[in-house]
Amino acid sequence: LLLHEQDEFQIFMKDFFALSGIDLHLYKRPQMERRLTALRNRHGYDNFQSYLSAMRNQPGLYDELLDRMTINVSEFFRNPERWEILSDYLQQSYKGAPLTIWSAACSTGEEPYTIAMMLEQLRISYQITATDIDQKVLNSAKVGTYQQHQTRAVANLYMDKYFRREGDAWRVEDGLKKHIKFEIHNLLGDSYPTGLDLIVCRNVLIYFTDEAKQKVAAGFAQALKPGGLLFVGSTEQFLHSEAFGLYSVAPFLYAKKG
Ligand SMILES: C[S@@+](CC[C@H](N)C(=O)[O-])C[C@H]1O[C@@H](n2cnc3c(N)ncnc32)[C@H](O)[C@@H]1O
Protein backbone atom coordinates (compact mmCIF):
# COMPACT_ATOMS: atom_id res chain seq x y z
CA LEU A 1 0.00 0.00 0.00
CA LEU A 2 2.79 2.39 0.96
CA LEU A 3 4.63 1.70 -2.25
CA HIS A 4 1.47 2.24 -4.24
CA GLU A 5 0.82 5.57 -2.53
CA GLN A 6 4.35 6.73 -3.23
CA ASP A 7 3.99 5.95 -6.89
CA GLU A 8 0.79 7.86 -6.87
CA PHE A 9 2.53 10.93 -5.48
CA GLN A 10 5.11 10.66 -8.27
CA ILE A 11 2.34 10.76 -10.84
CA PHE A 12 0.70 13.65 -9.04
CA MET A 13 3.96 15.63 -9.09
CA LYS A 14 4.21 15.09 -12.84
CA ASP A 15 0.61 16.12 -13.51
CA PHE A 16 0.84 19.07 -11.16
CA PHE A 17 3.87 20.30 -13.08
CA ALA A 18 1.87 20.19 -16.31
CA LEU A 19 -0.90 22.18 -14.62
CA SER A 20 1.20 24.75 -12.78
CA GLY A 21 4.77 24.77 -14.07
CA ILE A 22 5.82 24.12 -10.46
CA ASP A 23 8.18 21.18 -10.05
CA LEU A 24 7.47 19.60 -6.68
CA HIS A 25 10.44 17.25 -7.13
CA LEU A 26 12.65 20.17 -6.21
CA TYR A 27 11.12 20.41 -2.73
CA LYS A 28 12.03 18.04 0.12
CA ARG A 29 9.61 15.23 -0.39
CA PRO A 30 8.61 13.88 3.05
CA GLN A 31 7.50 17.31 4.25
CA MET A 32 5.74 18.15 0.99
CA GLU A 33 3.98 14.81 0.74
CA ARG A 34 2.80 15.03 4.34
CA ARG A 35 1.40 18.53 3.90
CA LEU A 36 -0.37 17.80 0.64
CA THR A 37 -1.77 14.46 1.78
CA ALA A 38 -3.25 16.14 4.85
CA LEU A 39 -4.81 18.84 2.69
CA ARG A 40 -6.18 16.29 0.23
CA ASN A 41 -7.68 14.19 3.00
CA ARG A 42 -9.29 17.22 4.57
CA HIS A 43 -11.25 17.74 1.35
CA GLY A 44 -12.30 14.11 1.32
CA TYR A 45 -10.30 12.88 -1.68
CA ASP A 46 -8.71 9.52 -1.03
CA ASN A 47 -6.26 9.67 -3.90
CA PHE A 48 -4.22 12.35 -5.63
CA GLN A 49 -5.70 11.68 -9.03
CA SER A 50 -9.21 12.70 -8.01
CA TYR A 51 -7.84 15.63 -5.99
CA LEU A 52 -6.00 16.92 -9.05
CA SER A 53 -9.03 16.52 -11.34
CA ALA A 54 -11.07 18.53 -8.85
CA MET A 55 -8.31 21.14 -8.83
CA ARG A 56 -8.60 21.64 -12.58
CA ASN A 57 -12.20 22.83 -12.16
CA GLN A 58 -11.90 24.57 -8.81
CA PRO A 59 -9.29 27.32 -8.77
CA GLY A 60 -9.86 27.65 -5.03
CA LEU A 61 -8.36 24.21 -4.46
CA TYR A 62 -5.34 25.10 -6.53
CA ASP A 63 -4.79 28.40 -4.74
CA GLU A 64 -5.07 26.67 -1.40
CA LEU A 65 -2.48 24.09 -2.37
CA LEU A 66 -0.08 26.82 -3.44
CA ASP A 67 -0.74 28.47 -0.14
CA ARG A 68 0.05 25.33 1.87
CA MET A 69 3.03 24.04 -0.09
CA THR A 70 5.23 26.09 2.16
CA ILE A 71 4.51 28.24 5.15
CA ASN A 72 3.73 31.86 4.32
CA VAL A 73 4.43 33.45 7.67
CA SER A 74 6.77 36.39 7.80
CA GLU A 75 7.73 39.14 10.24
CA PHE A 76 9.12 42.64 10.10
CA PHE A 77 12.82 42.67 11.10
CA ARG A 78 12.83 38.89 11.48
CA ASN A 79 16.01 38.10 13.50
CA PRO A 80 16.72 41.77 14.31
CA GLU A 81 20.42 41.30 15.15
CA ARG A 82 21.04 40.04 11.62
CA TRP A 83 19.33 43.04 10.07
CA GLU A 84 21.67 45.19 12.10
CA ILE A 85 24.71 43.44 10.71
CA LEU A 86 23.35 43.85 7.19
CA SER A 87 22.65 47.50 7.89
CA ASP A 88 26.23 48.11 9.11
CA TYR A 89 27.63 46.31 6.13
CA LEU A 90 25.56 48.34 3.65
CA GLN A 91 26.41 51.59 5.35
CA GLN A 92 30.13 50.83 5.09
CA SER A 93 30.04 49.71 1.49
CA TYR A 94 27.61 52.28 0.07
CA LYS A 95 29.14 54.28 -2.78
CA GLY A 96 26.31 56.65 -3.58
CA ALA A 97 24.58 54.94 -6.51
CA PRO A 98 21.03 53.66 -5.92
CA LEU A 99 20.92 50.00 -4.89
CA THR A 100 19.07 47.47 -7.00
CA ILE A 101 17.53 44.92 -4.67
CA TRP A 102 15.63 41.65 -5.01
CA SER A 103 13.52 40.38 -2.14
CA ALA A 104 12.82 36.80 -3.26
CA ALA A 105 10.04 34.70 -1.68
CA CYS A 106 8.81 37.84 0.05
CA SER A 107 5.47 36.39 1.20
CA THR A 108 3.16 39.09 2.60
CA GLY A 109 5.68 41.91 2.24
CA GLU A 110 7.20 42.34 5.70
CA GLU A 111 10.67 41.68 4.31
CA PRO A 112 10.75 44.22 1.44
CA TYR A 113 9.16 46.83 3.72
CA THR A 114 11.83 46.09 6.34
CA ILE A 115 14.57 46.60 3.74
CA ALA A 116 12.94 49.85 2.62
CA MET A 117 12.69 51.26 6.17
CA MET A 118 16.27 50.31 6.91
CA LEU A 119 17.57 52.02 3.76
CA GLU A 120 15.45 55.13 4.32
CA GLN A 121 17.06 55.36 7.74
CA LEU A 122 20.54 55.01 6.20
CA ARG A 123 19.66 57.55 3.48
CA ILE A 124 20.58 55.07 0.80
CA SER A 125 18.57 55.25 -2.42
CA TYR A 126 17.17 52.00 -3.68
CA GLN A 127 14.71 50.14 -5.85
CA ILE A 128 13.27 46.81 -4.69
CA THR A 129 11.70 44.05 -6.74
CA ALA A 130 9.82 41.78 -4.36
CA THR A 131 8.67 38.40 -5.65
CA ASP A 132 6.86 35.26 -4.59
CA ILE A 133 5.41 32.21 -6.29
CA ASP A 134 2.01 32.85 -4.70
CA GLN A 135 -0.16 35.63 -6.16
CA LYS A 136 -2.33 35.73 -3.06
CA VAL A 137 0.46 36.74 -0.70
CA LEU A 138 1.67 39.29 -3.26
CA ASN A 139 -1.77 40.90 -3.38
CA SER A 140 -1.75 41.26 0.35
CA ALA A 141 1.84 42.56 0.30
CA LYS A 142 0.81 45.27 -2.16
CA VAL A 143 -2.02 46.42 0.07
CA GLY A 144 0.41 46.47 3.00
CA THR A 145 -2.07 46.32 5.86
CA TYR A 146 -0.94 44.62 9.05
CA GLN A 147 -2.58 43.93 12.40
CA GLN A 148 -1.13 45.55 15.50
CA HIS A 149 0.56 42.35 16.71
CA GLN A 150 2.28 41.92 13.35
CA THR A 151 4.03 45.25 13.71
CA ARG A 152 5.39 44.69 17.22
CA ALA A 153 9.00 44.38 16.04
CA VAL A 154 8.80 47.72 14.23
CA ALA A 155 10.42 50.56 16.20
CA ASN A 156 8.18 53.51 17.10
CA LEU A 157 10.32 55.75 14.96
CA TYR A 158 9.41 53.66 11.93
CA MET A 159 5.76 53.26 12.93
CA ASP A 160 5.39 57.05 13.04
CA LYS A 161 7.13 57.61 9.73
CA TYR A 162 5.98 54.75 7.55
CA PHE A 163 2.62 53.48 8.84
CA ARG A 164 -0.83 54.99 8.93
CA ARG A 165 -3.58 53.83 11.24
CA GLU A 166 -6.53 52.20 9.52
CA GLY A 167 -9.21 51.07 11.96
CA ASP A 168 -7.42 48.70 14.29
CA ALA A 169 -4.77 47.87 11.70
CA TRP A 170 -1.75 49.69 10.24
CA ARG A 171 -1.10 50.43 6.61
CA VAL A 172 2.30 51.06 5.01
CA GLU A 173 2.67 54.58 3.61
CA ASP A 174 2.67 55.10 -0.15
CA GLY A 175 6.04 56.85 0.09
CA LEU A 176 7.65 53.55 1.04
CA LYS A 177 5.62 51.52 -1.43
CA LYS A 178 6.72 53.54 -4.42
CA HIS A 179 10.20 52.02 -4.18
CA ILE A 180 8.87 48.46 -4.34
CA LYS A 181 7.56 46.50 -7.30
CA PHE A 182 5.75 43.23 -6.48
CA GLU A 183 5.90 40.47 -9.09
CA ILE A 184 5.14 36.79 -9.34
CA HIS A 185 8.28 34.64 -9.71
CA ASN A 186 9.18 31.00 -9.27
CA LEU A 187 12.71 30.58 -7.89
CA LEU A 188 12.78 27.04 -9.26
CA GLY A 189 11.65 27.80 -12.79
CA ASP A 190 11.81 31.44 -13.85
CA SER A 191 14.90 33.30 -15.01
CA TYR A 192 16.67 35.60 -12.56
CA PRO A 193 17.31 39.33 -12.86
CA THR A 194 20.87 40.59 -13.23
CA GLY A 195 23.04 43.44 -11.99
CA LEU A 196 21.82 43.26 -8.39
CA ASP A 197 23.46 44.89 -5.39
CA LEU A 198 21.52 42.87 -2.82
CA ILE A 199 19.41 39.73 -2.76
CA VAL A 200 17.37 38.94 0.34
CA CYS A 201 16.00 35.39 0.27
CA ARG A 202 15.09 33.91 3.63
CA ASN A 203 13.17 30.97 4.97
CA VAL A 204 12.30 29.34 1.68
CA LEU A 205 15.52 27.50 0.77
CA ILE A 206 14.90 25.12 3.67
CA TYR A 207 12.01 23.62 1.70
CA PHE A 208 14.17 22.83 -1.35
CA THR A 209 16.23 19.70 -2.00
CA ASP A 210 20.00 20.19 -1.67
CA GLU A 211 20.35 19.95 -5.40
CA ALA A 212 17.72 22.61 -6.06
CA LYS A 213 19.26 24.82 -3.38
CA GLN A 214 22.70 24.64 -5.03
CA LYS A 215 21.13 25.66 -8.34
CA VAL A 216 19.46 28.63 -6.68
CA ALA A 217 22.83 29.60 -5.16
CA ALA A 218 24.47 29.52 -8.59
CA GLY A 219 21.62 31.61 -9.98
CA PHE A 220 21.95 34.17 -7.19
CA ALA A 221 25.70 34.41 -7.77
CA GLN A 222 25.03 35.18 -11.45
CA ALA A 223 22.39 37.74 -10.57
CA LEU A 224 24.67 39.76 -8.27
CA LYS A 225 27.11 42.46 -9.30
CA PRO A 226 30.69 41.95 -8.11
CA GLY A 227 30.65 42.97 -4.45
CA GLY A 228 26.88 42.39 -4.26
CA LEU A 229 25.38 40.81 -1.14
CA LEU A 230 23.17 37.79 -0.51
CA PHE A 231 21.23 37.66 2.77
CA VAL A 232 19.75 34.23 3.64
CA GLY A 233 17.90 32.67 6.58
CA SER A 234 19.63 31.23 9.64
CA THR A 235 19.68 27.58 8.61
CA GLU A 236 20.12 28.14 4.92
CA GLN A 237 23.90 28.28 4.47
CA PHE A 238 25.25 27.07 1.14
CA LEU A 239 27.87 24.35 0.91
CA HIS A 240 30.92 25.23 -1.21
CA SER A 241 29.57 28.67 -2.00
CA GLU A 242 33.09 29.74 -3.09
CA ALA A 243 32.62 27.56 -6.14
CA PHE A 244 30.06 30.11 -7.30
CA GLY A 245 32.21 33.07 -6.32
CA LEU A 246 30.27 33.78 -3.11
CA TYR A 247 32.27 34.17 0.06
CA SER A 248 30.81 34.18 3.51
CA VAL A 249 30.79 37.51 5.37
CA ALA A 250 28.65 36.25 8.28
CA PRO A 251 26.83 32.91 8.66
CA PHE A 252 23.77 34.34 6.88
CA LEU A 253 25.49 36.85 4.59
CA TYR A 254 27.51 36.26 1.41
CA ALA A 255 29.33 38.67 -0.87
CA LYS A 256 30.14 38.11 -4.51
CA LYS A 257 33.84 38.29 -5.38
CA GLY A 258 35.08 41.34 -7.18
C1 LIG B 1 8.19 31.23 5.13
S1 LIG B 1 7.85 32.35 3.80
C2 LIG B 1 9.27 33.39 3.92
C3 LIG B 1 8.90 34.87 3.96
C4 LIG B 1 10.06 35.83 4.18
N1 LIG B 1 11.12 35.64 3.20
C5 LIG B 1 10.63 35.69 5.57
O1 LIG B 1 11.69 35.10 5.74
O2 LIG B 1 9.99 36.15 6.53
C6 LIG B 1 8.17 31.31 2.39
C7 LIG B 1 7.64 31.89 1.06
O3 LIG B 1 8.24 31.20 -0.03
C8 LIG B 1 7.33 31.17 -1.10
N2 LIG B 1 7.79 30.14 -2.05
C9 LIG B 1 7.71 28.79 -1.95
N3 LIG B 1 8.25 28.21 -3.03
C10 LIG B 1 8.70 29.22 -3.84
C11 LIG B 1 9.35 29.24 -5.11
N4 LIG B 1 9.64 28.12 -5.75
N5 LIG B 1 9.64 30.45 -5.65
C12 LIG B 1 9.33 31.59 -5.01
N6 LIG B 1 8.73 31.63 -3.80
C13 LIG B 1 8.41 30.45 -3.22
C14 LIG B 1 6.01 30.88 -0.41
O4 LIG B 1 4.90 31.25 -1.21
C15 LIG B 1 6.14 31.73 0.87
O5 LIG B 1 5.55 32.98 0.72
Side-chain angles (χ1 to χ4, degrees), residues 197-243:
D197 296 291
L198 170 66
I199 298 171
V200 177
C201 182
R202 307 174 76 211
N203 305 302
V204 66
L205 303 170
I206 35 162
Y207 297 104
F208 299 166
T209 63
D210 286 341
E211 205 187 327
K213 196 173 135 185
Q214 289 300 103
K215 260 199 204 142
V216 170
F220 282 162
Q222 285 267 312
L224 287 171
K225 281 183 192 162
L229 293 175
L230 168 62
F231 186 37
V232 299
S234 29
T235 54
E236 300 181 309
Q237 288 90 346
F238 296 113
L239 293 172
H240 314 301
S241 67
E242 310 79 26

Short mmCIF file of all heavy atoms in Angstrom, two decimals, residues 197-243:
data_model
loop_
_atom_site.label_atom_id
_atom_site.label_comp_id
_atom_site.label_asym_id
_atom_site.label_seq_id
_atom_site.Cartn_x
_atom_site.Cartn_y
_atom_site.Cartn_z
N ASP A 197 22.57 44.53 -6.49
CA ASP A 197 23.46 44.89 -5.39
C ASP A 197 23.17 44.04 -4.15
O ASP A 197 24.04 43.82 -3.32
CB ASP A 197 23.26 46.36 -5.01
CG ASP A 197 23.67 47.28 -6.13
OD1 ASP A 197 24.88 47.35 -6.41
OD2 ASP A 197 22.79 47.91 -6.74
N LEU A 198 21.90 43.62 -4.02
CA LEU A 198 21.52 42.87 -2.82
C LEU A 198 20.37 41.93 -3.14
O LEU A 198 19.39 42.33 -3.77
CB LEU A 198 21.09 43.86 -1.71
CG LEU A 198 20.42 43.28 -0.46
CD1 LEU A 198 21.39 42.41 0.34
CD2 LEU A 198 19.88 44.40 0.44
N ILE A 199 20.52 40.68 -2.70
CA ILE A 199 19.41 39.73 -2.76
C ILE A 199 19.08 39.33 -1.33
O ILE A 199 19.98 38.95 -0.57
CB ILE A 199 19.78 38.45 -3.55
CG1 ILE A 199 20.13 38.79 -5.01
CG2 ILE A 199 18.64 37.43 -3.50
CD1 ILE A 199 20.71 37.62 -5.79
N VAL A 200 17.82 39.43 -0.96
CA VAL A 200 17.37 38.94 0.34
C VAL A 200 16.44 37.76 0.05
O VAL A 200 15.45 37.91 -0.66
CB VAL A 200 16.63 40.04 1.12
CG1 VAL A 200 16.10 39.49 2.44
CG2 VAL A 200 17.57 41.22 1.39
N CYS A 201 16.82 36.58 0.51
CA CYS A 201 16.00 35.39 0.27
C CYS A 201 16.08 34.51 1.51
O CYS A 201 17.07 33.84 1.74
CB CYS A 201 16.50 34.63 -0.95
SG CYS A 201 15.46 33.18 -1.30
N ARG A 202 15.02 34.56 2.32
CA ARG A 202 15.09 33.91 3.63
C ARG A 202 13.90 33.00 3.87
O ARG A 202 12.77 33.30 3.50
CB ARG A 202 15.15 34.99 4.72
CG ARG A 202 16.27 36.00 4.49
CD ARG A 202 16.20 37.13 5.49
NE ARG A 202 16.69 36.73 6.78
CZ ARG A 202 16.24 37.25 7.93
NH1 ARG A 202 15.27 38.14 7.92
NH2 ARG A 202 16.75 36.84 9.07
N ASN A 203 14.20 31.89 4.51
CA ASN A 203 13.17 30.97 4.97
C ASN A 203 12.33 30.36 3.85
O ASN A 203 11.14 30.12 4.01
CB ASN A 203 12.29 31.65 6.03
CG ASN A 203 13.13 32.19 7.17
OD1 ASN A 203 13.85 31.43 7.82
ND2 ASN A 203 13.09 33.49 7.38
N VAL A 204 12.97 30.12 2.73
CA VAL A 204 12.30 29.34 1.68
C VAL A 204 13.24 28.22 1.19
O VAL A 204 12.79 27.15 0.84
CB VAL A 204 11.84 30.22 0.50
CG1 VAL A 204 12.99 30.82 -0.25
CG2 VAL A 204 10.97 29.41 -0.45
N LEU A 205 14.56 28.49 1.26
CA LEU A 205 15.52 27.50 0.77
C LEU A 205 15.45 26.21 1.58
O LEU A 205 15.75 25.14 1.07
CB LEU A 205 16.94 28.08 0.81
CG LEU A 205 17.14 29.38 0.03
CD1 LEU A 205 18.49 29.99 0.33
CD2 LEU A 205 16.98 29.14 -1.46
N ILE A 206 15.02 26.32 2.82
CA ILE A 206 14.90 25.12 3.67
C ILE A 206 13.90 24.11 3.11
O ILE A 206 13.96 22.95 3.46
CB ILE A 206 14.45 25.45 5.12
CG1 ILE A 206 13.47 26.62 5.11
CG2 ILE A 206 15.59 25.69 6.04
CD1 ILE A 206 12.65 26.72 6.38
N TYR A 207 13.00 24.54 2.27
CA TYR A 207 12.01 23.62 1.70
C TYR A 207 12.55 22.88 0.48
O TYR A 207 11.95 21.92 0.04
CB TYR A 207 10.75 24.38 1.28
CG TYR A 207 10.03 25.03 2.43
CD1 TYR A 207 10.12 26.40 2.64
CD2 TYR A 207 9.27 24.26 3.30
CE1 TYR A 207 9.46 27.00 3.70
CE2 TYR A 207 8.60 24.85 4.35
CZ TYR A 207 8.70 26.22 4.55
OH TYR A 207 8.04 26.79 5.59
N PHE A 208 13.66 23.37 -0.09
CA PHE A 208 14.17 22.83 -1.35
C PHE A 208 15.13 21.67 -1.10
O PHE A 208 15.81 21.62 -0.07
CB PHE A 208 14.92 23.92 -2.14
CG PHE A 208 14.08 25.12 -2.53
CD1 PHE A 208 14.69 26.29 -2.97
CD2 PHE A 208 12.69 25.08 -2.46
CE1 PHE A 208 13.93 27.40 -3.35
CE2 PHE A 208 11.91 26.19 -2.82
CZ PHE A 208 12.54 27.35 -3.27
N THR A 209 15.22 20.76 -2.07
CA THR A 209 16.23 19.70 -2.00
C THR A 209 17.61 20.35 -2.09
O THR A 209 17.74 21.48 -2.59
CB THR A 209 16.09 18.71 -3.17
OG1 THR A 209 16.33 19.43 -4.39
CG2 THR A 209 14.72 18.05 -3.20
N ASP A 210 18.65 19.63 -1.64
CA ASP A 210 20.00 20.19 -1.67
C ASP A 210 20.40 20.56 -3.10
O ASP A 210 21.04 21.59 -3.32
CB ASP A 210 21.01 19.19 -1.10
CG ASP A 210 20.89 19.10 0.40
OD1 ASP A 210 20.32 20.05 1.01
OD2 ASP A 210 21.34 18.10 0.99
N GLU A 211 19.99 19.71 -4.02
CA GLU A 211 20.35 19.95 -5.40
C GLU A 211 19.71 21.25 -5.92
O GLU A 211 20.37 22.07 -6.54
CB GLU A 211 19.88 18.76 -6.23
CG GLU A 211 20.63 18.56 -7.49
CD GLU A 211 19.96 17.46 -8.32
OE1 GLU A 211 19.40 16.51 -7.73
OE2 GLU A 211 19.98 17.59 -9.55
N ALA A 212 18.44 21.41 -5.63
CA ALA A 212 17.72 22.61 -6.06
C ALA A 212 18.34 23.85 -5.41
O ALA A 212 18.52 24.89 -6.03
CB ALA A 212 16.24 22.49 -5.71
N LYS A 213 18.69 23.70 -4.13
CA LYS A 213 19.26 24.82 -3.38
C LYS A 213 20.59 25.27 -4.00
O LYS A 213 20.85 26.47 -4.12
CB LYS A 213 19.47 24.37 -1.94
CG LYS A 213 19.68 25.48 -0.97
CD LYS A 213 19.70 24.96 0.45
CE LYS A 213 20.85 25.56 1.20
NZ LYS A 213 20.98 25.01 2.56
N GLN A 214 21.41 24.30 -4.40
CA GLN A 214 22.70 24.64 -5.03
C GLN A 214 22.47 25.38 -6.35
O GLN A 214 23.21 26.30 -6.68
CB GLN A 214 23.54 23.38 -5.27
CG GLN A 214 24.10 22.74 -4.00
CD GLN A 214 25.00 23.67 -3.20
OE1 GLN A 214 24.59 24.23 -2.19
NE2 GLN A 214 26.23 23.86 -3.65
N LYS A 215 21.43 24.98 -7.08
CA LYS A 215 21.13 25.66 -8.34
C LYS A 215 20.71 27.09 -8.09
O LYS A 215 21.09 28.00 -8.82
CB LYS A 215 19.99 24.93 -9.05
CG LYS A 215 20.47 24.03 -10.13
CD LYS A 215 19.33 23.71 -11.11
CE LYS A 215 19.64 22.40 -11.80
NZ LYS A 215 18.48 21.55 -12.02
N VAL A 216 19.90 27.28 -7.05
CA VAL A 216 19.46 28.63 -6.68
C VAL A 216 20.69 29.47 -6.32
O VAL A 216 20.81 30.62 -6.74
CB VAL A 216 18.44 28.58 -5.53
CG1 VAL A 216 18.16 29.97 -4.99
CG2 VAL A 216 17.15 27.92 -5.99
N ALA A 217 21.62 28.88 -5.56
CA ALA A 217 22.83 29.60 -5.16
C ALA A 217 23.61 30.06 -6.39
O ALA A 217 24.05 31.21 -6.47
CB ALA A 217 23.71 28.72 -4.29
N ALA A 218 23.75 29.16 -7.37
CA ALA A 218 24.47 29.52 -8.59
C ALA A 218 23.73 30.64 -9.32
O ALA A 218 24.36 31.58 -9.82
CB ALA A 218 24.60 28.29 -9.48
N GLY A 219 22.42 30.57 -9.34
CA GLY A 219 21.62 31.61 -9.98
C GLY A 219 21.77 32.95 -9.28
O GLY A 219 21.89 34.00 -9.92
N PHE A 220 21.77 32.93 -7.96
CA PHE A 220 21.95 34.17 -7.19
C PHE A 220 23.31 34.79 -7.48
O PHE A 220 23.45 36.00 -7.65
CB PHE A 220 21.81 33.90 -5.69
CG PHE A 220 20.38 33.74 -5.22
CD1 PHE A 220 20.11 33.14 -4.00
CD2 PHE A 220 19.31 34.21 -5.98
CE1 PHE A 220 18.80 33.00 -3.54
CE2 PHE A 220 18.00 34.06 -5.54
CZ PHE A 220 17.75 33.46 -4.31
N ALA A 221 24.34 33.92 -7.52
CA ALA A 221 25.70 34.41 -7.77
C ALA A 221 25.76 35.14 -9.12
O ALA A 221 26.36 36.20 -9.25
CB ALA A 221 26.70 33.26 -7.74
N GLN A 222 25.09 34.57 -10.12
CA GLN A 222 25.03 35.18 -11.45
C GLN A 222 24.29 36.50 -11.43
O GLN A 222 24.61 37.42 -12.17
CB GLN A 222 24.23 34.26 -12.39
CG GLN A 222 24.97 33.03 -12.83
CD GLN A 222 25.65 33.30 -14.15
OE1 GLN A 222 25.04 33.82 -15.07
NE2 GLN A 222 26.93 32.97 -14.22
N ALA A 223 23.27 36.57 -10.60
CA ALA A 223 22.39 37.74 -10.57
C ALA A 223 23.05 38.94 -9.89
O ALA A 223 22.67 40.08 -10.13
CB ALA A 223 21.08 37.39 -9.85
N LEU A 224 24.04 38.67 -9.04
CA LEU A 224 24.67 39.76 -8.27
C LEU A 224 25.78 40.45 -9.07
O LEU A 224 26.48 39.83 -9.85
CB LEU A 224 25.29 39.21 -6.98
CG LEU A 224 24.34 38.80 -5.87
CD1 LEU A 224 25.12 38.08 -4.76
CD2 LEU A 224 23.61 40.01 -5.29
N LYS A 225 25.93 41.74 -8.81
CA LYS A 225 27.11 42.46 -9.30
C LYS A 225 28.31 42.02 -8.47
O LYS A 225 28.13 41.59 -7.32
CB LYS A 225 26.95 43.96 -9.00
CG LYS A 225 26.06 44.72 -9.93
CD LYS A 225 26.11 46.18 -9.48
CE LYS A 225 25.03 46.98 -10.16
NZ LYS A 225 24.77 48.25 -9.47
N PRO A 226 29.53 42.18 -8.98
CA PRO A 226 30.69 41.95 -8.11
C PRO A 226 30.56 42.82 -6.86
O PRO A 226 30.21 43.99 -6.96
CB PRO A 226 31.87 42.40 -8.97
CG PRO A 226 31.37 42.30 -10.38
CD PRO A 226 29.91 42.58 -10.34
N GLY A 227 30.80 42.23 -5.70
CA GLY A 227 30.65 42.97 -4.45
C GLY A 227 29.23 42.96 -3.91
O GLY A 227 28.99 43.39 -2.79
N GLY A 228 28.28 42.45 -4.69
CA GLY A 228 26.88 42.39 -4.26
C GLY A 228 26.69 41.41 -3.10
O GLY A 228 27.51 40.52 -2.89
N LEU A 229 25.60 41.59 -2.36
CA LEU A 229 25.38 40.81 -1.14
C LEU A 229 24.17 39.89 -1.27
O LEU A 229 23.17 40.23 -1.91
CB LEU A 229 25.11 41.75 0.04
CG LEU A 229 26.25 42.62 0.52
CD1 LEU A 229 25.73 43.56 1.61
CD2 LEU A 229 27.39 41.76 1.06
N LEU A 230 24.27 38.74 -0.60
CA LEU A 230 23.17 37.79 -0.51
C LEU A 230 22.88 37.51 0.96
O LEU A 230 23.75 37.06 1.70
CB LEU A 230 23.55 36.48 -1.24
CG LEU A 230 22.64 35.28 -1.02
CD1 LEU A 230 21.22 35.56 -1.52
CD2 LEU A 230 23.22 34.05 -1.74
N PHE A 231 21.65 37.81 1.37
CA PHE A 231 21.23 37.66 2.77
C PHE A 231 20.24 36.50 2.85
O PHE A 231 19.17 36.56 2.24
CB PHE A 231 20.56 38.98 3.17
CG PHE A 231 20.16 39.13 4.62
CD1 PHE A 231 20.92 38.62 5.66
CD2 PHE A 231 19.00 39.83 4.94
CE1 PHE A 231 20.54 38.81 6.99
CE2 PHE A 231 18.62 40.03 6.27
CZ PHE A 231 19.39 39.50 7.29
N VAL A 232 20.61 35.42 3.56
CA VAL A 232 19.75 34.23 3.64
C VAL A 232 19.27 33.99 5.08
O VAL A 232 19.69 34.70 6.01
CB VAL A 232 20.47 32.96 3.10
CG1 VAL A 232 20.84 33.13 1.64
CG2 VAL A 232 21.69 32.62 3.93
N GLY A 233 18.40 32.99 5.25
CA GLY A 233 17.90 32.67 6.58
C GLY A 233 18.94 31.95 7.43
O GLY A 233 20.00 31.58 6.94
N SER A 234 18.62 31.71 8.68
CA SER A 234 19.63 31.23 9.64
C SER A 234 20.10 29.82 9.36
O SER A 234 21.24 29.49 9.64
CB SER A 234 19.09 31.33 11.05
OG SER A 234 17.70 31.19 11.04
N THR A 235 19.25 28.97 8.81
CA THR A 235 19.68 27.58 8.61
C THR A 235 19.79 27.28 7.12
O THR A 235 19.55 26.18 6.67
CB THR A 235 18.67 26.61 9.24
OG1 THR A 235 17.37 26.91 8.70
CG2 THR A 235 18.62 26.74 10.73
N GLU A 236 20.14 28.31 6.37
CA GLU A 236 20.12 28.14 4.92
C GLU A 236 21.48 28.33 4.25
O GLU A 236 21.55 28.66 3.09
CB GLU A 236 19.10 29.09 4.32
CG GLU A 236 17.71 28.81 4.87
CD GLU A 236 16.65 29.71 4.28
OE1 GLU A 236 16.82 30.94 4.29
OE2 GLU A 236 15.64 29.18 3.82
N GLN A 237 22.55 28.12 5.02
CA GLN A 237 23.90 28.28 4.47
C GLN A 237 24.10 27.39 3.25
O GLN A 237 23.53 26.31 3.17
CB GLN A 237 24.96 27.91 5.52
CG GLN A 237 25.10 28.92 6.62
CD GLN A 237 24.18 28.61 7.79
OE1 GLN A 237 23.27 27.80 7.67
NE2 GLN A 237 24.41 29.25 8.91
N PHE A 238 24.92 27.87 2.33
CA PHE A 238 25.25 27.07 1.14
C PHE A 238 26.56 26.34 1.35
O PHE A 238 27.51 26.90 1.90
CB PHE A 238 25.41 27.98 -0.08
CG PHE A 238 24.16 28.68 -0.46
CD1 PHE A 238 24.06 30.06 -0.33
CD2 PHE A 238 23.07 27.98 -0.95
CE1 PHE A 238 22.91 30.73 -0.69
CE2 PHE A 238 21.91 28.64 -1.31
CZ PHE A 238 21.82 30.01 -1.18
N LEU A 239 26.60 25.09 0.90
CA LEU A 239 27.87 24.35 0.91
C LEU A 239 28.69 24.81 -0.29
O LEU A 239 28.13 25.04 -1.36
CB LEU A 239 27.59 22.85 0.79
CG LEU A 239 26.89 22.23 1.99
CD1 LEU A 239 26.49 20.79 1.68
CD2 LEU A 239 27.77 22.31 3.23
N HIS A 240 30.00 24.92 -0.10
CA HIS A 240 30.92 25.23 -1.21
C HIS A 240 30.49 26.46 -1.99
O HIS A 240 30.53 26.45 -3.22
CB HIS A 240 31.03 24.02 -2.15
CG HIS A 240 31.22 22.73 -1.45
ND1 HIS A 240 32.29 22.50 -0.61
CD2 HIS A 240 30.48 21.60 -1.42
CE1 HIS A 240 32.20 21.29 -0.10
NE2 HIS A 240 31.11 20.73 -0.56
N SER A 241 30.06 27.49 -1.31
CA SER A 241 29.57 28.67 -2.00
C SER A 241 30.68 29.35 -2.81
O SER A 241 30.42 30.01 -3.80
CB SER A 241 28.99 29.67 -1.00
OG SER A 241 30.01 30.17 -0.18
N GLU A 242 31.95 29.12 -2.38
CA GLU A 242 33.09 29.74 -3.09
C GLU A 242 33.13 29.28 -4.54
O GLU A 242 33.61 30.00 -5.42
CB GLU A 242 34.44 29.41 -2.44
CG GLU A 242 34.51 29.64 -0.95
CD GLU A 242 33.86 28.53 -0.14
OE1 GLU A 242 33.79 27.39 -0.66
OE2 GLU A 242 33.38 28.78 0.97
N ALA A 243 32.64 28.08 -4.77
CA ALA A 243 32.62 27.56 -6.14
C ALA A 243 31.81 28.47 -7.06
O ALA A 243 32.05 28.52 -8.26
CB ALA A 243 32.06 26.14 -6.17
#
